[in-house]
Amino acid sequence: MTDVFHYQIHGREAVSAKGDLPFPAGTGAPPELFAVYRDPVLSPAVWKVTDGRQLTQDRADVSWLAPRRMGPPVEWPPEVCAALAAGRLTGVNLRHPRWERALEFTAAKAGKKRVHLLALGDVGGTLLTALKLLGGDVISSIGVCDLSEKTVDRWVAEMGQISWPWDYGDLPEVEAVGPEALFDCDVFLFAATRAVPAVGSGVKDVRMAQLEANRPLVESFARQARGADFQGLFVVLSDPVDQLCQAAWWASNVCEETEYPDLQGLLPEQVQGFGLGVMNARAAYFAMRDPRFASFLTEGRTFGPHGRGLVVANSVEHYDGGLSQELTRLTVEANLRIRDLGFKPYVAPAVSSGAMQLLLSLRGQWHCGSVPLGGVWFGCKNRFTPCGLEWETLDLPDALFARLRETEGILQELSE
């Protein structure tokens, strides 16, 4: 059995495998917190512990999605096992200089949230419409910002003229917000883009074509978030979602004088990319139309990025490599079919990836999003809880887990 030591951390019962922490002794009661020391670049600051093996790893990676891949179970004392079984144990990385702030962060706190949306292009306008119609239970108001004042005025007026008859205050109010106040909110939505290849341009991987143009843009707003000491959720919607999440987090945490991370910016778990939702919806679209893929609707999952490296599993319990690869290909290429028709494929992404996943997040429900795992942002099923960010854990078959490892390698290569 692994020994633990009891402490009191800010009035909360805590344990750790380290016996020399600078905190008062605990009471021996079941713990709320488990303190660890690990590389803060490769691990979350705070998270909900769902498997005891997460407490012995030196970094987070895709094995956290399939705990048996982390090795044999760890034998913890009864009080730790009881906290794990009750789902109320929070991991705290004391090497992260902002771990105390991290203990206070969750996107699913009670009360309605103020949301700010940057850029009202095709995606932003569609996203705004969906949030206005669907978000009244968790969104108090939506501030919108764009380079074009006329665009802002148009959307504020249009959204102001949408209401239920005789129930005029039921939907979130939409109002203009200036660039200087972008981070006076609970949720910041980055939907800005500088380069969207035109329909008919012949560009095969549209998302990666946007990386170099959009990276400096997201980095500039991430640095602004740092300067504002932003404490809310920083959501990336622009492509490529996963790489831009990593770029935003890094830019906000690098000291400009030394270009070395001082970790005084956004927490890893504060940044989430919303691109996987539409891939999951596209996989379901094909599964509802072809009985060969029907198992996806009840047993399937999607993992990884919004584009190259996506993993669609026809079923976790009855995984079929051939069917899954075919369904993955159909899902990845679905946007090209819309472009072949002469249109930009932005409606489904704005709603399925943007609006729906944000609302699920704010409600503390399971959703599809890219989250930090070992220095990259990896798409998976996750949720915000009072104990911290939680990743869904599954017993993944060997062939499926191998695909996740391959995707992890692709993302690590792209982030270098």
Side-chain angles (χ1 to χ4, degrees):
M1 181 182 297
T2 302
D3 291 332
V4 296
F5 302 87
H6 286 257
Y7 300 94
Q8 282 281 315
I9 298 181
H10 297 327
R12 303 173 68 179
E13 191 72 17
V15 296
S16 177
K18 295 180 67 68
D20 56 353
L21 299 186
F23 301 106
T27 65
E32 296 179 56
L33 310 176
F34 195 112
V36 301
Y37 275 80
R38 56 178 57 144
D39 188 338
V41 173
L42 300 176
S43 297
V46 164
W47 76 99
K48 179 179 178 179
V49 183
T50 54
D51 190 281
R53 285 166 285 202
Q54 294 174 350
L55 301 169
T56 62
Q57 302 296 300
D58 59 1
R59 60 180 288 168
D61 61 19
V62 295
S63 67
W64 281 36
L65 307 180
R68 71 181 176 90
R69 307 291 173 173
M70 290 189 281
V74 180
E75 187 178 359
W76 294 108
E79 64 269 27
V80 176
C81 293
L84 275 168
R88 53 177 177 78
L89 187 63
T90 298
V92 186
N93 182 9
L94 298 183
R95 279 192 62 190
H96 196 292
R98 308 193 92 190
W99 63 266
E100 292 169 292
R101 166 71 61 81
L103 281 173
E104 301 173 1
F105 172 75
T106 177
K109 288 182 179 178
K112 293 186 179 184
K113 311 297 188 299
R114 177 164 176 81
V115 175
H116 282 178
L117 170 61
L118 176 67
L120 292 165
D122 293 335
V123 170
T126 306
L127 170 64
L128 174 62
T129 304
L131 291 177
K132 168 82 175 184
L133 294 174
L134 301 175
D137 64 317
V138 287
I139 296 176
S140 59
S141 62
I142 306 171
V144 294
C145 182
D146 192 273
L147 288 174
S148 168
E149 290 185 10
K150 289 185 177 180
T151 297
V152 171
D153 291 343
R154 175 255 176 138
W155 280 105
V156 170
E158 294 264 35
M159 293 297 103
Q161 295 163 29
I162 296 175
S163 64
W164 294 108
W166 313 294
D167 193 0
Y168 305 115
D170 189 54
L171 302 180
E173 181 182 357
V174 175
E175 58 191 17
V177 63
E180 73 286 349
L182 268 176
F183 292 97
D184 295 338
C185 62
D186 302 296
V187 180
F188 171 72
L189 302 176
F190 179 85
T193 184
R194 279 181 174 160
V196 179
V199 173
S201 64
V203 175
K204 294 298 183 183
D205 195 334
V206 175
R207 300 178 187 92
M208 294 313 297
Q210 295 176 266
L211 176 59
E212 291 309 313
N214 290 338
R215 178 188 284 150
L217 196 58
V218 78
E219 288 175 341
S220 69
F221 286 100
R223 286 189 285 268
Q224 184 178 340
R226 172 188 171 119
D229 193 24
F230 181 55
Q231 299 181 41
L233 180 63
F234 189 110
V235 174
V236 176
L237 293 154
S238 303
D239 283 326
V241 165
D242 312 85
Q243 286 76 47
L244 292 182
C245 282
Q246 197 274 341
W249 175 80
W250 182 264
S252 79
N253 281 284
V254 168
C255 178
E256 293 187 24
E257 290 76 13
T258 63
E259 296 186 355
Y260 186 80
D262 60 7
L263 301 174
Q264 294 299 316
L266 296 167
L267 300 165
E269 50 268 37
Q270 255 184 288
V271 181
Q272 190 153 148
F274 286 164
L276 187 62
V278 73
M279 308 309 265
N280 195 79
R282 285 169 176 164
Y285 170 85
F286 292 110
M288 287 188 287
R289 286 158 178 78
D290 189 332
R292 295 180 303 142
F293 305 130
S295 60
F296 175 84
L297 300 173
T298 54
E299 303 172 8
R301 290 290 187 278
T302 50
F303 301 95
H306 179 52
R308 180 190 169 209
L310 175 74
V311 175
V312 179
N314 74 301
S315 168
V316 171
E317 297 180 2
H318 307 96
Y319 180 71
D320 184 307
L323 282 177
S324 294
Q325 292 282 6
E326 184 178 353
L327 186 53
T328 299
R329 179 185 59 79
L330 290 169
T331 300
V332 170
E333 295 178 356
N335 65 319
L336 300 179
R337 304 289 78 80
I338 303 300
R339 295 178 75 87
D340 289 342
L341 295 171
F343 300 96
K344 293 179 182 178
Y346 63 83
V347 176
V351 178
S352 286
S353 282
M356 289 181 169
Q357 306 314 312
L358 175 62
L359 296 178
L360 290 171
S361 299
L362 298 182
R363 293 166 184 156
Q365 297 175 335
W366 291 107
H367 63 277
C368 298
S370 294
V371 296
L373 280 176
V376 300
W377 265 252
F378 197 96
C380 63
K381 184 177 177 180
N382 68 93
R383 64 179 173 180
F384 291 100
T385 78
C387 295
L389 183 63
E390 178 182 3
W391 297 258
E392 181 190 43
T393 57
L394 297 165
D395 186 9
L396 301 179
D398 293 345
L400 176 54
F401 186 72
R403 290 182 66 193
L404 267 58
R405 279 292 194 202
E406 181 180 353
T407 290
E408 181 182 42
I410 291 172
L411 291 170
Q412 288 172 342
E413 180 182 345
L414 291 173
S415 67
E416 293 176 355

